[in-house]
Structures are given as structure tokens and as C-alpha cells.
Amino acid sequence: MTKWSAVITGFILAVFVKSFFAQYEFIGLLIVGFITGYIAHSGALGGLWNAAVAGALGTIVAAILFIFAATFGGSVLGIFGGLTGFTVSGIASIVTIIGYLIYYAIVMGITGAVGGAIASKK
């Protein structure tokens, strides 16, 4: 049911949107979800599933990139400052990461279902 070519494409586009177009994140996720669902060619349910999986992977990678940036960026105390930053950012942002995981999956899943439905009409 999961078409990995569509999921990987959607995942890369979701990370790209989060990294470079954060101010247009909602619209970007709508477009990426539609593209992922359309590439999947599995109908509405398949498009929803593939886009939701791509959104979840995109969230996880974006969170990991954020934690690395918090860990290695601007550490005054060397390795101990980096480890402290890693721990604080990891503990404080777990709820935020779970929220974004659900947000990405829902937004991309809805438009993925539309893209999949349009692709299956042909």
C-alpha cells in the first residue's frame, strides 16, 4: 500500500518546505501532499496514506535537524554546552514534535487523498 517512490519524493519536498519556506508552510504542505498523492496513483485512500507517511517522515527529519542545530550551534562551553543544549531542546520540544507530526500527517493526508483521487480517475 505504501509506494516508497511517492513517499520519498513527498518527504524530501516536506523537508524542503519546512527548511526554506517556513512562512508559507501550510500552503507548501498542501501542495506537497497533493503531489505525493498524485504520484502514488493509488486512489484517495492510497494518496492519503502515502502523503501522511511522507509528512511524518518529514516531521521527524526536520525535528532531528533542529536538534542538531540547537546542539552544535553557538555552544559556549564546548561539548558540555552542546550536550546540555541537546538535552534541553529534546525534552522541551517532544510535545511540539508530536504536534507537528500530527499536523503534517493531517494536512498532507487530506490533500494527498485529493491528489490520489484525481490520479485514479484517468
Side-chain angles (χ1 to χ4, degrees):
M1 185 163 170
T2 302
K3 302 226 174 160
W4 288 105
S5 62
V7 169
I8 297 298
T9 303
F11 150 72
I12 291 170
L13 291 174
V15 171
F16 184 76
V17 164
K18 180 68 176 174
S19 298
F20 297 109
F21 300 106
Q23 65 270 26
Y24 304 112
E25 179 181 13
F26 181 74
I27 295 170
L29 291 178
L30 290 175
I31 294 169
V32 170
F34 179 82
I35 291 169
T36 304
Y38 191 81
I39 291 172
H41 287 287
S42 300
L45 186 60
L48 181 131
W49 175 256
N50 286 301
V53 170
L57 288 176
T59 302
I60 291 167
V61 170
I64 290 170
L65 290 175
F66 169 74
I67 289 173
F68 280 147
T71 302
F72 299 118
S75 167
V76 177
L77 299 174
I79 190 165
F80 297 112
L83 291 175
T84 304
F86 180 77
T87 304
V88 169
S89 66
I91 292 171
S93 63
I94 191 72
V95 174
T96 305
I97 291 169
I98 292 171
Y100 272 117
L101 188 70
I102 294 168
Y103 172 70
Y104 274 44
I106 289 174
V107 171
M108 288 180 65
I110 290 171
T111 56
V114 173
I118 290 174
S120 68
K121 298 271 184 193
K122 294 182 177 183

